[in-house]
Amino acid sequence: ITDKLTGLMWPKNGIIGFEETNGGGLIAQPNYTNTTTNLNILNLVDALTAVANMNTAPIKLCGYSDWRLPNIVELKSLVNYGIANPSNWLMYGSGTSGSPMCSGACFSNVQDYYWSSSTWATAQPLEWVVSFILSSVDSDSKSSDHSVWPVRGGL
C-alpha cells in the first residue's frame, strides 16, 4: 500500500513470514502471505537480516528489491493518534473491528510493536519501537523480539 502523503510503500500484510517455524531461523524466501504472528517476531539483528534476505529472495515482494526497516519518523507516520487503537484503524478504517471500511486499501494482520531502524541516541543498546495498539513510541533492547514491517520509497 502506498501512502500518498509520504510516498512510502508498505506491505499490506503486517506479518511477513521470515521464519519457517517459530525459532527455526531465518529463511531465504520469506512467506508474504503468512498469517502466523510468531514467524515475524525477531530481534533487531535478525530483523535487519530478514529484510536483506527479502531483497535477495527469488520472489520479490511487489517486484521490488529495495525494502528496508523504516526509521522512527516513517513508522510513526502510520499511527492515527486520534484513535484508541491504531492497529484496528489501519485494518478496518473505522477504529473498530469488523468489516473493512477502507475500500480495499486496508492493511491486514497489524501487530502491536514494530522495530524501527532508529537507535535511541542516549543509550546505544536501545532501539526505537512503535506500538500500534497503545499509540506509543518506546525504546527497547536490540535483543528483544518485535514484529518487522519493511518499507520502501519516500519523498
Side-chain angles (χ1 to χ4, degrees):
I1 296 174
T2 300
D3 184 327
K4 292 181 182 181
L5 279 175
T6 64
L8 297 170
M9 181 183 285
W10 301 89
K12 181 175 180 143
N13 186 358
I15 56 169
I16 293 169
F18 290 114
E19 294 183 302
E20 190 71 40
T21 60
N22 186 26
L26 299 175
I27 53 178
Q29 177 60 65
N31 178 355
Y32 304 128
T33 60
N34 175 55
T35 58
T36 305
T37 303
N38 60 7
L39 303 181
N40 182 274
I41 298 175
L42 306 169
N43 65 44
L44 183 63
V45 171
D46 285 347
L48 293 167
T49 302
V51 174
N53 287 352
M54 192 169 102
N55 287 325
T56 59
I59 300 170
K60 310 283 189 240
L61 181 61
C62 301
Y64 296 104
S65 60
D66 58 349
W67 296 94
R68 58 187 169 74
L69 215 53
N71 65 46
I72 191 62
V73 173
E74 293 168 333
L75 196 55
K76 284 182 355 182
S77 75
L78 291 177
V79 177
N80 181 342
Y81 291 98
I83 297 293
N85 186 328
S87 65
N88 278 345
W89 180 79
L90 286 168
M91 291 188 291
Y92 304 107
S94 62
T96 62
S97 60
S99 299
M101 298 181 66
C102 350
S103 303
C106 297
F107 290 101
S108 62
N109 303 309
V110 176
Q111 300 303 297
D112 190 5
Y113 282 97
Y114 283 91
W115 283 116
S116 81
S117 64
S118 302
T119 299
W120 191 32
T122 58
Q124 290 305 313
L126 300 178
E127 196 81 0
W128 288 110
V129 294
V130 171
S131 168
F132 286 93
I133 291 179
L134 302 174
S135 304
S136 65
V137 177
D138 301 299
S139 60
D140 201 358
S141 168
K142 295 178 181 187
S143 62
S144 295
D145 292 333
H146 294 295
S147 296
V148 180
W149 204 351
V151 69
R152 65 175 300 276
L155 299 175

